[in-house]
Amino acid sequence: MGGQHLKDPTPHTVVVEREPPVIRLHHSRILAVFRAFDCFLVLFMLWAVLYLAGAPWSNSYTVLGMLAVIGFGYFAESNEVYYLWRGWSTPKLAYRLLGAWAATALVTSGAALVLGLVKSVDHSAVLSWIALTPVVMVFLHWARRQFLSVYRAQRMQPRRVAVVGANRLG
């Protein structure tokens, strides 16, 4: 038996993929829900402020709201707002949300000036919307974190781990 090698009686097949290997960031579905919720919140806050001010909804507000949703989606992604919930401390997340909203408000206001929407909107309502939306958004992100931390502490949660690369240790 000294020099004898055991052979595996079953042949092994090797599957070769034709696509090059790609490293993908892991974004959970719940983060997509949070993105969608924030976009809905931007529009809801505009509607709520207009409702409380007694201003009727018009196409100008629809354009303003859509510009804000698109702008916020872009600036929130560039500020890395929607990464794993354990990624940023709450004050840092609030800072990033406020930065994303400030850039959104600036770009949306500039676009409203260029498109001539300023003439057909209630200025005090729009300013209230610009001021209140980030406050509500930061509060809801904080509340979501509090809820999820309590919820996740009560149950076992499996973790996914990806190992990239190998060395001589294995």
Side-chain angles (χ1 to χ4, degrees):
M1 283 223 187
Q4 215 174 2
H5 294 288
L6 296 176
K7 292 186 179 182
D8 190 2
T10 59
H12 295 284
T13 58
V14 177
V15 177
V16 178
E17 294 184 20
R18 295 176 189 226
E19 296 179 21
V22 177
I23 297 175
R24 294 185 308 150
L25 293 175
H26 178 71
H27 293 287
S28 67
R29 290 183 194 111
I30 196 165
L31 292 178
V33 171
F34 295 154
R35 281 185 181 98
F37 181 79
D38 283 347
C39 290
F40 171 76
L41 180 66
V42 168
L43 291 175
F44 175 77
M45 288 301 296
L46 179 59
W47 175 82
V49 166
L50 291 173
Y51 179 79
L52 292 174
W57 189 273
S58 68
N59 287 339
S60 298
Y61 294 115
T62 303
V63 172
L64 196 66
M66 288 297 114
L67 288 172
V69 165
I70 293 168
F72 184 74
Y74 175 78
F75 291 116
E77 189 62 32
S78 65
N79 280 325
E80 298 178 346
V81 169
Y82 302 109
Y83 281 80
L84 297 177
W85 75 283
R86 294 179 183 100
W88 303 110
S89 66
T90 301
K92 286 182 182 178
L93 178 64
Y95 178 76
R96 288 177 178 275
L97 279 167
L98 292 174
W101 182 251
T104 300
L106 187 64
V107 168
T108 302
S109 299
L113 283 171
V114 170
L115 296 173
L117 298 176
V118 176
K119 299 173 190 170
S120 60
V121 296
D122 182 349
H123 296 143
S124 63
V126 171
L127 289 175
S128 297
W129 170 61
I130 289 172
L132 290 174
T133 299
V135 173
V136 172
M137 193 175 294
V138 167
F139 172 76
L140 290 177
H141 275 256
W142 172 82
R144 180 194 79 213
R145 282 180 163 215
Q146 295 300 316
F147 172 76
L148 288 177
S149 67
V150 169
Y151 174 71
R152 287 178 175 160
Q154 294 177 354
R155 66 182 184 96
M156 293 293 294
Q157 181 182 353
R159 303 273 189 235
R160 290 190 211 175
V161 177
V163 178
V164 178
N167 59 21
R168 66 180 181 269
L169 298 176

